Amino acid sequence: VWLINGFITALSVGCSYLAAHAVGSGSVHRTHSVTYQSITCSLILGLLLFFGVELVCRPLPIWLGAAPDVVPMAQSYMRVIGFGLIPQSVAVVLSSLFRSAGDTRTPLAANLTSNMANIIGNFFLIYPARDVVLGGRTIFIWGAGLGVTGAAISTAASQYLLFFILLWFLSHKDTPVRIPLLRPRYRIQRRVFRQLWHISFPVLLERLTLTSGQIALTAMISGLGTVPLAAHYLTNQTEGIMYLPAYGFSYTATALIGQSLGAGRKDLADRFALSICLIGSAVIVMVCIPVAIWSGPIIRLFTSDPDVAVLGAQTLFIAAATEIFFSFFVIACGICRGAGDVRFSLLVSVIGMWGLRIGLVYIATRPLQMGVVGVWIAIAVDCFIRSVLCIWRLRSGKWKNHTA
């Protein structure tokens, strides 16, 4: 599923770049053309992913070494999930189009609605019918009892709901990317498809680099034992919350930088880049300071194992104290993508994940025997070097001179 999401994310980044530049140029025709062709590309990608998943959903769990009792459930899950990939591809791209046009509230509201529908669907489809006691009263709750298959049905259905909500807003809400869906007036332009390819393919390679690197890291950390693996997992999950603001600023940077350069205003792009870096870094620091101070109590919220809690408090402190480096890298990548400079973030990701992180983690866990604490020190060093490279790139000004 993460691999599939990598393809969709890569396309959405390319669409964001083209849409932001089209909106910035002030050309209504160009903006509408990019919107129509982004939808066309997302439909094609969704169809390819759907057929691909349906072809491999039966052997895939076996290839991944699933236990015999897991295989039938995994096959059913993937088969149903496949039917939601077409609307998911379009919905992710539509969300990026709205953000590139400066409208972040519409995708927020639509995704919140879809997620709530997914939760409700899980509640009724996963579990069987049951009696629940509330306030001394017994209430009968219907349930389909479909288990894992029910979870997949709910997820796929929520993707269709999100798809239709965003399509309605696209044709009715007054935004630069608003288009009539019933009578499209455009023809496919090879130039736009080439631009999408030049932006999206490096992003796809970057996602594949990160995914494969994470798999390799997990394999290395798994050899340390159950307690270190649990501490690493809890730290990873908590860190995911800490860098959420960075991705928000990254999306903002892609839209504002793209619109500025699309309007031919490199000076405005410079001011936006500086402001986003400063404000984003300040927000990240404010989020991470309390997490570093109370790393112990925070970890104990998620585990009752004292060994995991002690080790997790140490790794979470390292993660929170050095989170600014990774977050700055994320924000800087958003700035570069808005300018079409996607090869830089790919290069830094490859150097960071496979040239630094994997090697440093191996040294920390094998020759130095530093355990999972050494893993997070190695990750911090990798992120620090990435952030230094990003500062050098932004100061050089070369990121503004790229075109797809």
Side-chain angles (χ1 to χ4, degrees), residues 146-218:
L146 297 176
V148 170
T149 304
I153 292 173
S154 179
T155 299
S158 68
Q159 294 295 345
Y160 278 96
L161 175 62
L162 178 60
F163 166 73
F164 286 117
I165 291 174
L166 290 173
L167 273 185
W168 187 90
F169 277 116
L170 187 69
S171 60
H172 288 82
K173 190 169 183 181
D174 186 19
T175 65
V177 293
R178 178 181 177 180
I179 56 172
L181 295 175
L182 298 180
R183 295 189 301 276
R185 299 174 182 174
Y186 87 108
R187 56 190 178 85
I188 293 176
Q189 298 177 0
R190 291 183 180 179
R191 179 178 59 84
V192 174
F193 278 89
R194 283 198 301 268
Q195 289 177 318
L196 276 175
W197 173 260
H198 288 154
I199 295 295
S200 299
F201 186 65
V203 177
L204 174 61
L205 292 180
E206 180 185 346
R207 300 292 300 186
L208 294 178
T209 298
L210 295 175
T211 302
S212 59
Q214 289 295 348
I215 292 172
L217 277 178
T218 302

Side-chain angles (χ1 to χ4, degrees), residues 95 99 103-115 162 166:
S95 295
R99 294 189 190 102
D103 180 9
T104 56
R105 291 182 176 85
T106 295
L108 170 64
N111 279 277
L112 283 175
T113 304
S114 172
N115 285 334
L162 178 60
L166 290 173

Side-chain angles (χ1 to χ4, degrees), residues 226-232 234-235 299-300 303-315 372-373:
T226 304
V227 170
L229 183 61
H232 174 75
L234 291 178
T235 302
I299 282 293
R300 285 194 291 272
T303 180
S304 57
D305 188 309
D307 294 331
V308 174
V310 170
L311 196 55
Q314 298 175 34
T315 54
V372 73
V373 172

Side-chain angles (χ1 to χ4, degrees), residues 14-88:
C15 295
S16 295
Y17 166 81
L18 292 179
H21 278 250
V23 171
S25 70
S27 171
V28 176
H29 174 75
R30 181 182 170 189
T31 303
H32 286 180
S33 178
V34 168
T35 302
Y36 279 123
Q37 289 178 89
S38 296
I39 295 173
T40 302
C41 289
S42 63
L43 283 171
I44 294 172
L45 176 62
L47 283 168
L48 292 175
L49 292 175
F50 164 69
F51 287 121
V53 167
E54 296 306 314
L55 283 173
V56 303
C57 65
R58 291 189 64 81
L60 182 62
I62 300 172
W63 294 343
L64 295 176
D69 58 331
V70 174
V71 169
M73 291 186 290
Q75 291 171 336
S76 174
Y77 183 85
M78 288 304 297
R79 185 182 303 112
V80 176
I81 284 293
F83 285 95
L85 291 177
I86 298 174
Q88 179 184 349

Side-chain angles (χ1 to χ4, degrees), residues 269-342:
D270 274 327
R271 292 206 296 271
F272 275 135
L274 179 60
S275 297
I276 291 171
C277 287
L278 292 177
I279 298 172
S281 298
V283 171
I284 298 301
V285 169
M286 287 190 292
V287 169
C288 293
I289 285 177
V291 176
I293 294 173
W294 292 295
S295 58
I298 290 173
I299 282 293
R300 285 194 291 272
L301 291 174
F302 305 105
T303 180
S304 57
D305 188 309
D307 294 331
V308 174
V310 170
L311 196 55
Q314 298 175 34
T315 54
L316 182 58
F317 174 82
I318 296 171
T322 59
E323 182 60 36
I324 183 62
F325 303 134
F326 178 73
S327 294
F328 186 86
F329 164 72
V330 171
I331 295 171
C333 285
I335 293 172
C336 292
R337 286 169 182 164
D341 187 15
V342 290

